[in-house]
Amino acid sequence: MAELPSGLLEACVVVGAPSDKLRDIYQLHQQSKLNELPLLEAEVLQVHAPPFVSKETNSSQSIGPAFSRVQRRKSFIKKKRRDRAAEVPNGDNASRTEVSSATEDISVPKDLDLIALPQLCFPGGLQLANEQREDSYHFLVFTDLFGNRTHGVVVQHYRAVQSYQEGALQNGHRWNSSKSRLFTPFAVCVISKFPYYNALRDCLSCLLVQLRPARQSDFEETIKEFSAKLSLVPLPPPGQLHVCFSLRPLHVVLPSREDQDSPIIDIDLHLPFLCFTHTTLLQVLSCLLQEQRLVFFSADWAKLTLVAESLLLYLQPLSWQQPYVPVLSGGMLDFLMAPTAFLMGCHISHFEEVAAETEELILVNIDDGIIQSSWSENLDLPAIPLAAAESFISRAECLQLHYDLEMCHLGAGTDANALRGQRRDWQTRLNTQIQNIALELVVNIFRGVQDFLNYEHRVFNSEEFLRTREPADQSFYKKALDTHIFHSFLRDRLNRKRDTFSRMEQNTRNHAHRNRAMTESPRRPLMSDLSKTGYRSYTSPSDRLSKRLGASLPNLEHPANDTVTAISSNRPASLRKMTPDTGLKLPQKAVKVFRLPEFPPPLAYHYVQNYYSDMVSSLGKAISSTPPEESALLARYHYLRGLVNTVSNKRLDALEDFQSLYKTDSDIFPSQMVKSLVDSLPEAERLQADRRSELKRLISRVKRDQERERSRHDNGHEDGAVKRFQLPKKYMQLEEFVKCIQESGIVKDQGTIHRLFDALTVGHQKQVGPELFRVFYTIWKETEAEAQEVCLPASVLEHIEPSECVFKVSSSVKTSRGVGKIAMTQRRLFLLTDGRPGYVEVAQYRDLEEVKVSSAPFLLLRIPSLKLRVRGRKEAFEANLKTETELWNLMVKEMWAGRNMADQHKDPQYMQQALTNALLMDAVVGSLQNSKAIYAASKLAHFDRIKMEVPMMVPKTTTETLKHKINPSLELAAPQAIDVLLYTPGQLWVSVSGGKVMVFDASSWSLTHTCHVGNARLNCMLGVDKDQVWMGSEDSVIYIISMVAMVCNRQLTEHRAEVTGLALDVDKYSQKVAYSCSAEGSVMVWDISTLQVKRYFRLSCDRLQSVSSCNGTLWCCSRDNIMEVWRNGSVKHRLNLPEQQKDSTVIFSSVLLLPEREELWSVCVDSGEVSIWHIKDTSKPFHRVALQDCTGCYCMIKVKNQVWVGGVGRSSTKGKIYVLDAERHQVLKELHGHNDKVMALCSAEDRYVLSGAGKHDGKIAIWKVE
């Protein structure tokens, strides 16, 4: 049987006084024998749970029509009292009801526990009254063993107790006016899986309108009918569509959650701001983040849950993992003795008792807005970090918390529902502001956590993270980092979850930090950070934007700068000028409300089915009236209609609706529900589904996903574990050493770690002991800390670029330019003179001509010194570095070699790597402290060795044409192949292995976004319009990314094999269309606005690889031939491999159409030759161009009047690019820019060409087009 979607109602339970007790008390009361009315023990009187109606058939496949799972049920057996069948003082029908419910089981959903419910519905006890009391509401939260929460809204409603023997009927009640009356409370509790507190309170308010005049005999039926109506309400899908229904006299709105991972918010989030001062509120949040044992107190039961729920929502996306019981009845106070952390709430009358009896509790008095501990009146727990707290308070002061002030310019409303709508809109706006403020607080507290994670080994380096926090905040972090709440948050970071935290963290990260994250240099502060002057605005010629392009491309005429990008000016705004809603500056999308039809009589099957048909029909109207560009709204309508079709047994229609989500918003695709639907299809419906192609596709995809999930489970993939970095406790071989270094965050590159291992194991067995590693690690960290303590005076700072960091400072030495300390940055060496601090430039690395160890005479001794010759200076610079000389010699030579490599290859990463090597040398020498230390450190002189052994001269043509390099594999231990490149105005899209897509800002070549589309390799990308990029994947899906929102939530799933090519064209009606092809020969023509297939045909060929359009025909390239195809799919011409290339290994790899020249160019994987064909004569190529020293070609593009071909060299197996003249068919240039074959090429506005290489290189080169 299919698992049904969860609906609004899980169960509705009525709790009240046992009827026999009531009878006895009523009689005593009438006889005036009671001094005071006693407290009674409540019990469950009624339980109403769906399904309320079902088809009158025995079909095992039928699904009960209600939005709640058809569950196994259990019995809730009440105590049978022998005398219960006797006369009951509640009227004839009531007595029969009570008697039967006393002796029969009450059937309830299996996961609903009714044992504690009576106590929670009457937490202060069931109190009879002499007069009618006001109805009162409160809210409950139940948590099961697995941490799943269920929510309850309770109303206590007083009704008169009457004897059926008494006289006149008045207002539906029998009562005797001559005697005093007695009132007993009933509690009606609506239980839901979802925290719709306001909506369910509104529903209960409507129920009471019906209950007040109702006779006792109609009491149960009224509540049952009410419950059955609620069971018909579908929940809104995540996103901007709410659901509204009418329960006279009110319209009730169910707000949707913002996205799949966001909580439902149907609560007034400003209540804690009304109860506490900002400082107290921060103290409470601090206690929650440190997982203390918290107890909330209030005289109002409703406040307990509402305030607790609001506070937990403030912490999102961190979630409370500990026991949570916001309402404790008097009989449950022993829960407070639990030894673990918890969050509980009880009545203010128990305050003194709880404070005296229990230890180490944090007591929060909501009514007085006070927080204290049970051991003292003051709270001596660590406070929230100061900077985050100040920012929170300044923003909170700007909140407008009073509705009356907001609405005083409006007149008196006469329509209750309109007034409620106004209030709801105001509350929604305020809730959004509060969520932003609270989220910013969480982001400010835990900002930068991901910089200390090792994703590959799932390790968090907590010690390193703590080092970056302010000393005054250390005690808070030490406690907070050790909690379950933080561990769960870390797990989400390691799983790269895209939630509100990661989005705001990325949006508010300053530009400098984002760019520095793209370099792999060890963590050191920029000089601009240290000078506390903020980021100075700095642009060098290579970073200034050309006026013609605005921000689209950098002008790369001049040599690339040392750093990957310049640091933009980024002055923090004054805290006093903050507004409450800055933070997540996301455009608020307009919210639509879908109005459900009027409820039918809810206990008749055919009426319920008609109700569902009405809902399906009104959703159909909404779908047809929504334009295709509003795909997100269409998705929500399809989702709702899918839900309704599911519960009304129209499974195939439901599957069709869910299939539509792939094209509209795949993020809300309900995988579990669809899987359950597919599994429940009877044979006849399965055969029908197989005849409908889109359903057949959906079912096979569901099965494929199930198998993948099963194999993932079998392979023991665990997304949960998070380790803290710990120093090793035993000797490590190379493999363990690599893992340990990567976990420590010192360096990730395996080649560097192998060289470090060789250095640390010089002269003894090839293993590193725990003591040696500890010393090495300590020295590395101490050097890092020392660099952070370097404080340069302003007179020195003005000589240094803002992006420079001081990485190493020598001891005070005598030099040929005065006495002082030599400082090393990533760009230069300079002398910090002693006495009055001053700056003396020693050399920029690129200006060095010679570095050697010398000796300076001193009396009868010769002191070791370092001698540097600098271009343009006659005199050499000499420094008497004594024992440090050999180390500085190694470090300066490595920096010099790295600088040369970076300049030759236009690749700043060489400089970063040289810097890492130099700092590792320093740590190795410090940790070995023996005669072999310098020899050991020389093992790390990687670039210096390359320079000595194989002088790597880059050919002049390459140097002149190459402008810059980007390394998308920086964060990884080994490089990854570049699969596809695409340029859209201002952005470079890069696809690397496993569906990972990286987006770089084309003005600075810095990484702006990373996303995953599926789990398979991408074969092609296409910019379709201003907002859509299509990506064809090996998993047969075309993924669509929105460039504005940077989300991938639409998919085209029509292809049956891997998608290999994409192209754009205009059809005969001047409408833009897209073409896609897949490996088995299918070609599809797409309407871009509706994402529907307009035409489809299949070609017979060996692996179709690409499709392109020209003059009304399509050119399709397969491995063994190229076809010209009419738009209807019939083949016009077929080009076969040239005769001399008809070899089993030679296959076409790329084709290029030059329509203006009526030419087609083709290249093959295992041939170093370009074939040029006439479009009108395709019998054989009319010209061939042999590419020198080339064994194969992989890609081709046309730029201006040139054709660029990417391939691999014969002699060195390194990547080569050949630039050919399109008219003369001659090779103009041969470019050497990669260490592996060139796999991808793309053009940026015909000014630059970008090339991407295979996995042994993994870099992107940027070339200037002549």
Side-chain angles (χ1 to χ4, degrees):
M1 192 175 281
E3 178 179 314
L4 284 175
S6 290
L8 180 59
L9 180 87
E10 196 72 7
C12 180
V13 182
V14 179
V15 176
S19 51
D20 51 351
K21 286 265 191 212
L22 265 184
R23 181 195 60 196
D24 298 343
I25 290 169
Y26 181 75
Q27 288 172 351
L28 291 170
H29 184 260
Q30 293 302 312
Q31 295 161 16
S32 304
K33 289 183 179 176
L34 285 178
N35 295 328
E36 59 180 44
L37 293 172
L39 274 178
L40 297 184
E41 190 179 323
E43 67 174 37
V44 173
L45 303 178
Q46 304 167 25
V47 178
H48 305 286
F52 290 92
V53 293
S54 58
K55 199 172 183 180
E56 291 79 14
T57 67
N58 294 325
S59 162
S60 64
Q61 298 296 335
S62 76
I63 298 175
F67 283 95
S68 184
R69 280 137 305 149
V70 176
Q71 315 184 53
R72 288 200 310 278
R73 302 169 81 80
K74 63 179 183 183
S75 296
F76 179 72
I77 305 171
K78 297 191 296 179
K79 298 172 195 164
K80 298 179 183 176
R81 297 185 174 90
R82 286 196 167 79
D83 61 343
R84 188 66 75 81
E87 208 174 83
V88 180
N90 261 31
D92 303 355
N93 293 14
S95 74
R96 278 199 291 278
T97 305
E98 281 300 333
V99 169
S100 68
S101 68
T103 54
E104 293 172 18
D105 299 354
I106 295 177
S107 175
V108 298
K110 67 176 175 59
D111 50 358
L112 195 61
D113 179 14
L114 297 183
I115 305 294
L117 192 62
Q119 280 190 72
L120 293 171
C121 287
F122 291 102
L126 193 154
Q127 179 70 59
L128 301 177
N130 289 318
E131 57 187 13
Q132 179 74 46
R133 287 194 183 171
E134 205 174 356
D135 302 324
S136 78
Y137 293 79
H138 67 274
F139 308 89
L140 304 173
V141 180
F142 316 97
T143 310
D144 67 14
L145 290 172
F146 305 104
N148 303 311
R149 287 181 193 156
T150 308
H151 308 266
V153 180
V154 181
V155 60
Q156 291 180 7
H157 165 61
Y158 278 79
R159 293 177 71 81
V161 180
Q162 302 93 19
S163 162
Y164 67 90
Q165 299 165 333
E166 292 170 1
L169 191 79
Q170 182 171 331
N171 288 340
H173 301 299
R174 300 175 193 278
W175 69 293
N176 186 338
S177 56
S178 64
K179 294 188 178 175
S180 62
R181 300 170 68 196
L182 183 65
F183 293 84
T184 180
F186 289 89
V188 182
C189 176
V190 176
I191 296 171
S192 174
K193 288 278 182 202
F194 304 93
Y196 281 114
Y197 296 114
N198 287 341
L200 291 174
R201 181 174 57 189
D202 292 348
C203 292
L204 284 170
S205 302
C206 295
L207 171 66
L208 291 188
V209 172
Q210 293 174 281
L211 281 182
R212 283 189 195 102
R215 290 199 300 250
Q216 189 67 30
S217 55
D218 299 332
F219 187 73
E220 181 168 2
E221 196 61 25
T222 306
I223 293 176
K224 185 175 182 182
E225 195 166 292
F226 163 79
S227 307
K229 284 180 181 176
L230 290 192
S231 76
L232 300 180
V233 177
L235 291 184
Q240 302 301 309
L241 181 68
H242 299 346
V243 163
C244 168
F245 57 92
S246 175
L247 269 180
R248 302 181 197 286
L250 299 180
H251 294 322
V252 181
V253 174
L254 297 184
S256 58
R257 61 179 84 213
E258 197 174 314
D259 56 50
Q260 288 283 64
D261 298 317
S262 298
I264 288 167
I265 295 180
D266 186 30
I267 191 172
D268 298 350
L269 284 183
H270 67 294
L271 292 179
F273 284 91
L274 299 176
C275 297
F276 304 110
T277 65
H278 297 146
T279 309
T280 308
L281 184 53
L282 284 169
Q283 285 179 308
V284 177
L285 292 174
S286 176
C287 293
L288 288 169
L289 287 171
Q290 295 171 63
E291 286 187 352
Q292 296 297 316
R293 300 164 73 219
L294 278 100
V295 189
F296 285 15
F297 294 90
S298 175
D300 182 347
W301 296 106
K303 269 192 214 169
L304 290 171
T305 304
L306 295 178
V307 169
E309 283 283 290
S310 297
L311 290 167
L312 294 187
L313 285 168
Y314 292 177
L315 298 183
Q316 285 289 324
L318 282 79
S319 59
W320 181 256
Q321 308 282 315
Q322 301 290 355
Y324 171 48
V325 189
V327 172
L328 287 174
S329 66
M332 295 177 169
L333 292 182
D334 56 323
F335 282 29
L336 300 178
M337 308 300 285
T340 60
F342 54 69
L343 172 52
M344 299 194 188
C346 56
H347 198 271
I348 192 73
S349 58
H350 301 299
F351 188 91
E352 300 299 333
E353 177 191 346
V354 169
E357 294 294 323
T358 46
E359 293 178 6
E360 295 183 5
L361 291 186
I362 305 297
L363 312 174
V364 181
N365 182 335
I366 295 174
D367 298 341
D368 295 340
I370 296 168
I371 180 171
Q372 65 183 73
S373 60
S374 57
W375 61 93
S376 77
E377 289 204 3
N378 299 321
L379 195 66
D380 53 2
L381 281 170
I384 291 245
L386 184 63
E390 284 179 350
S391 172
F392 175 84
I393 290 170
S394 61
R395 288 211 196 285
E397 283 168 355
C398 306
L399 287 171
Q400 172 55 274
L401 299 172
H402 300 286
Y403 179 65
D404 295 345
L405 288 177
E406 191 88 3
M407 295 298 158
C408 54
H409 64 287
L410 297 177
T414 53
D415 180 343
N417 281 312
L419 287 171
R420 280 162 47 77
Q422 276 178 5
R423 166 76 197 209
R424 195 164 43 243
D425 292 344
W426 173 81
Q427 190 66 56
T428 304
R429 287 194 302 275
L430 180 58
N431 281 358
T432 304
Q433 291 180 340
I434 290 171
Q435 281 176 275
N436 279 345
I437 292 173
L439 177 60
E440 191 188 45
L441 174 71
V442 173
V443 168
N444 285 339
I445 293 171
F446 296 114
R447 185 185 295 284
V449 158
Q450 65 272 36
D451 295 342
F452 300 88
L453 293 175
N454 180 289
Y455 292 93
E456 189 183 359
H457 302 299
R458 300 186 68 80
V459 169
F460 173 56
N461 199 327
S462 52
E463 283 187 22
E464 281 306 291
F465 176 74
L466 280 172
R467 280 173 197 257
T468 62
R469 306 293 111 173
E470 292 290 331
D473 301 331
Q474 294 277 335
S475 56
F476 168 83
Y477 283 108
K478 280 175 183 164
K479 280 186 181 291
L481 264 53
D482 217 19
T483 57
H484 290 84
I485 195 172
F486 181 73
H487 187 272
S488 169
F489 168 75
L490 267 191
R491 195 166 56 233
D492 288 341
R493 297 319 102 202
L494 282 168
N495 296 338
R496 299 183 189 272
K497 187 173 180 181
R498 285 287 294 163
D499 54 18
T500 49
F501 179 94
S502 56
R503 286 197 289 271
M504 183 185 267
E505 212 274 349
Q506 186 172 28
N507 291 344
T508 57
R509 248 185 191 215
N510 64 50
H511 190 58
H513 197 219
R514 218 174 295 166
N515 291 336
R516 284 169 70 198
M518 275 304 294
T519 66
E520 212 182 22
S521 66
R523 290 180 203 99
R524 301 292 192 277
L526 304 176
M527 282 300 105
S528 53
D529 294 353
L530 290 175
S531 62
K532 301 285 187 284
T533 56
Y535 296 112
R536 283 174 283 175
S537 161
Y538 165 71
T539 51
S540 66
S542 67
D543 293 298
R544 270 189 217 115
L545 303 180
S546 91
K547 287 188 175 65
R548 184 176 75 79
L549 290 168
S552 72
L553 273 176
N555 190 348
L556 294 169
E557 298 296 328
H558 304 279
N561 228 292
D562 295 350
T563 46
V564 174
T565 52
I567 306 303
S568 74
S569 159
N570 186 359
R571 219 170 123 262
S574 157
L575 289 180
R576 291 295 113 197
K577 292 181 181 172
M578 286 182 176
T579 55
D581 52 350
T582 35
L584 262 186
K585 276 288 188 183
L586 295 176
Q588 287 300 313
K589 298 168 191 158
V591 170
K592 291 269 185 185
V593 178
F594 177 70
R595 182 91 183 267
L596 302 184
E598 290 292 320
F599 286 117
L603 297 173
Y605 182 83
H606 63 281
Y607 282 129
V608 169
Q609 286 300 328
N610 291 344
Y611 174 74
Y612 287 144
S613 300
D614 291 349
M615 217 189 297
V616 166
S617 127
S618 55
L619 281 164
K621 286 176 189 164
I623 287 169
S624 56
S625 64
T626 305
E629 54 269 20
E630 290 190 41
S631 58
L633 184 58
L634 275 172
R636 270 81 201 156
Y637 287 139
H638 277 296
Y639 183 103
L640 263 184
R641 195 168 70 178
L643 289 187
V644 180
N645 279 325
T646 301
V647 294
S648 53
N649 265 330
K650 295 175 182 166
R651 297 179 188 80
L652 296 185
D653 292 350
L655 288 174
E656 211 162 77
D657 275 314
F658 292 138
Q659 161 75 13
S660 304
L661 296 180
Y662 283 125
K663 284 186 185 166
T664 47
D665 188 348
S666 59
D667 281 355
I668 62 170
F669 185 80
S671 313
Q672 276 307 107
M673 199 192 308
V674 172
K675 172 182 166 295
S676 176
L677 264 177
V678 168
D679 290 344
S680 73
L681 284 178
E683 192 58 38
E685 288 188 9
R686 172 59 65 91
L687 290 171
Q688 279 181 11
D690 286 345
R691 287 196 289 273
R692 286 153 75 169
S693 59
E694 69 282 1
L695 289 188
K696 191 176 178 183
R697 272 199 313 277
L698 176 66
I699 290 168
S700 64
R701 180 164 183 169
V702 166
K703 297 290 182 198
R704 199 167 64 233
D705 289 348
Q706 277 179 267
E707 282 166 25
R708 191 181 296 141
E709 195 58 42
R710 209 173 292 122
S711 68
R712 182 180 167 78
H713 191 263
D714 293 344
N715 294 339
H717 279 286
E718 178 56 61
D719 284 345
V722 183
K723 293 186 289 183
R724 293 282 176 90
F725 173 68
Q726 290 181 328
L727 290 170
K729 294 183 172 61
K730 56 185 178 43
Y731 279 81
M732 292 178 290
Q733 307 288 348
L734 175 60
E735 195 178 323
E736 295 149 323
F737 180 77
V738 168
K739 186 180 172 195
C740 192
I741 288 285
Q742 286 176 339
E743 286 181 4
S744 72
I746 292 175
V747 66
K748 291 176 185 166
D749 174 60
Q750 286 193 352
T752 307
I753 301 174
H754 285 194
R755 290 189 286 276
L756 176 60
F757 183 76
D758 288 344
L760 289 173
T761 55
V762 158
H764 59 83
Q765 200 177 352
K766 288 293 177 188
Q767 53 182 14
V768 174
E771 181 56 25
L772 176 58
F773 188 92
R774 188 189 64 76
V775 172
F776 168 78
Y777 181 78
T778 307
I779 288 173
W780 174 269
K781 293 302 168 194
E782 282 173 356
T783 314
E784 200 171 75
E786 283 165 16
Q788 296 194 13
E789 286 163 15
V790 173
C791 198
L792 301 180
S795 58
V796 173
L797 284 172
E798 63 193 30
H799 296 280
I800 295 175
E801 303 294 2
S803 56
E804 279 185 84
C805 316
V806 170
F807 287 91
K808 171 78 176 160
V809 180
S810 73
S811 48
S812 194
V813 295
K814 176 183 176 297
T815 75
S816 55
R817 306 281 301 274
V819 176
K821 296 176 180 176
I822 297 173
M824 179 179 92
T825 76
Q826 72 267 50
R827 200 176 289 227
R828 75 188 82 220
L829 296 170
F830 65 89
L831 185 67
L832 264 173
T833 54
D834 282 355
R836 183 169 170 272
Y839 170 91
V840 176
E841 174 94 19
V842 173
Q844 293 207 11
Y845 301 121
R846 60 160 59 100
D847 295 333
L848 288 169
E849 288 182 337
E850 185 186 22
V851 177
K852 65 176 185 179
V853 174
S854 179
S855 57
F858 176 72
L859 301 176
L860 300 174
L861 305 171
R862 298 199 67 79
I863 295 170
S865 66
L866 183 69
K867 208 169 210 175
L868 309 177
R869 292 203 174 275
V870 184
R871 190 182 304 123
R873 288 194 199 147
K874 288 182 183 174
E875 290 181 15
F877 172 83
E878 192 168 6
N880 299 356
L881 282 158
K882 303 173 189 167
T883 53
E884 296 178 73
T885 305
E886 294 282 359
L887 172 61
W888 276 87
N889 175 51
L890 280 177
M891 290 197 303
V892 175
K893 278 185 174 174
E894 182 68 3
M895 296 296 279
W896 178 26
R899 177 73 271 160
N900 287 344
M901 291 273 285
D903 286 350
Q904 281 180 18
H905 293 270
K906 309 291 170 61
D907 186 350
Q909 202 211 338
Y910 285 119
M911 195 64 233
Q912 302 294 347
Q913 203 174 330
L915 177 58
T916 301
N917 293 343
L919 293 169
L920 288 171
M921 291 174 190
D922 181 36
V924 164
V925 169
S927 52
L928 291 181
Q929 295 286 342
N930 61 28
S931 56
K932 292 182 179 170
I934 294 297
Y935 170 67
S938 69
K939 298 275 186 188
L940 289 153
H942 179 57
F943 294 123
D944 191 39
R945 188 174 301 110
I946 289 175
K947 183 176 157 188
M948 302 296 289
E949 291 171 2
V950 218
M952 291 184 67
M953 287 309 295
V954 177
K956 187 181 177 194
T957 316
T958 300
T959 306
E960 289 171 350
T961 315
L962 180 61
K963 291 299 161 197
H964 193 62
K965 284 246 187 115
I966 306 171
N967 184 7
S969 303
L970 256 181
E971 290 185 357
L972 308 170
Q976 291 182 329
I978 307 294
D979 295 327
V980 196
L981 292 172
L982 171 72
Y983 176 81
T984 60
Q987 291 178 314
L988 172 65
W989 300 72
V990 181
S991 160
V992 291
S993 66
K996 182 178 175 185
V997 176
M998 305 171 85
V999 185
F1000 291 84
D1001 175 2
S1003 62
S1004 59
W1005 305 121
S1006 58
L1007 181 69
T1008 57
H1009 292 91
T1010 302
C1011 55
H1012 278 82
V1013 291
N1015 297 306
R1017 178 185 188 273
L1018 295 179
N1019 291 322
C1020 48
M1021 291 198 274
L1022 178 71
V1024 171
D1025 58 24
K1026 288 180 181 173
D1027 186 42
Q1028 288 184 43
V1029 173
W1030 290 21
M1031 303 182 174
S1033 169
E1034 274 187 354
D1035 65 9
S1036 81
V1037 176
I1038 297 172
Y1039 295 93
I1040 300 177
I1041 289 191
S1042 160
M1043 288 193 254
V1044 176
M1046 271 306 163
V1047 292
C1048 174
N1049 60 2
R1050 287 184 286 170
Q1051 302 172 13
L1052 307 179
T1053 57
E1054 276 74 353
H1055 280 288
R1056 309 303 315 130
E1058 64 176 285
V1059 180
T1060 51
L1062 292 166
L1064 269 183
D1065 194 17
V1066 174
D1067 66 9
K1068 58 186 176 185
Y1069 305 110
S1070 302
Q1071 294 290 313
K1072 203 190 258 190
V1073 293
Y1075 292 93
S1076 63
C1077 66
S1078 53
E1080 93 295 20
S1082 297
V1083 177
M1084 293 187 188
V1085 188
W1086 299 89
D1087 182 316
I1088 286 170
S1089 59
T1090 63
L1091 303 182
Q1092 298 299 321
V1093 176
K1094 296 179 75 169
R1095 278 193 310 285
Y1096 161 84
F1097 55 85
R1098 186 163 177 177
L1099 302 170
S1100 173
C1101 59
D1102 174 23
R1103 187 180 168 85
L1104 187 53
Q1105 298 187 130
S1106 67
V1107 59
S1108 41
S1109 172
C1110 171
N1111 299 334
T1113 60
L1114 297 176
W1115 290 83
C1116 302
C1117 173
S1118 71
R1119 285 209 275 211
D1120 56 355
N1121 57 43
I1122 299 163
M1123 293 155 281
E1124 185 181 8
V1125 182
W1126 294 110
R1127 279 177 169 163
N1128 64 5
S1130 56
V1131 177
K1132 181 180 175 186
H1133 291 300
R1134 209 178 268 268
L1135 287 69
N1136 295 311
L1137 282 165
E1139 284 298 321
Q1140 67 274 33
Q1141 293 183 352
K1142 284 194 176 171
D1143 179 328
S1144 61
T1145 61
V1146 176
I1147 51 176
F1148 283 119
S1149 58
S1150 181
V1151 294
L1152 179 66
L1153 280 162
L1154 306 183
E1156 68 283 359
R1157 300 185 54 77
E1158 296 192 332
E1159 288 177 3
L1160 176 90
W1161 294 42
S1162 69
V1163 290
C1164 296
V1165 170
D1166 289 314
S1167 164
E1169 192 174 82
V1170 180
S1171 301
I1172 304 169
W1173 316 65
H1174 265 308
I1175 285 178
K1176 291 181 178 170
D1177 174 17
T1178 54
S1179 56
K1180 62 177 184 179
F1182 74 86
H1183 191 75
R1184 291 192 184 87
V1185 182
L1187 304 177
Q1188 191 180 349
D1189 187 37
C1190 177
T1191 59
C1193 303
Y1194 297 88
C1195 47
M1196 242 188 329
I1197 58 165
K1198 178 179 180 288
V1199 189
K1200 291 184 177 172
N1201 203 28
Q1202 300 170 355
V1203 173
W1204 290 53
V1205 181
V1208 63
R1210 187 186 306 276
S1211 53
S1212 62
T1213 67
K1214 291 194 174 175
K1216 289 180 123 179
I1217 296 171
Y1218 298 87
V1219 183
L1220 283 73
D1221 186 311
E1223 290 178 10
R1224 296 191 306 234
H1225 304 155
Q1226 293 173 347
V1227 177
L1228 301 174
K1229 289 181 185 175
E1230 205 176 297
L1231 305 173
H1232 306 250
H1234 294 285
N1235 291 327
D1236 199 352
K1237 54 182 177 269
V1238 176
M1239 306 279 290
L1241 288 169
C1242 79
S1243 158
E1245 301 176 15
D1246 276 0
R1247 294 180 65 220
Y1248 297 99
V1249 166
L1250 298 105
S1251 60
K1255 65 180 180 183
H1256 298 300
D1257 179 273
K1259 292 183 182 177
I1260 298 164
I1262 301 162
W1263 309 87
K1264 175 82 178 128
V1265 177
E1266 296 299 331

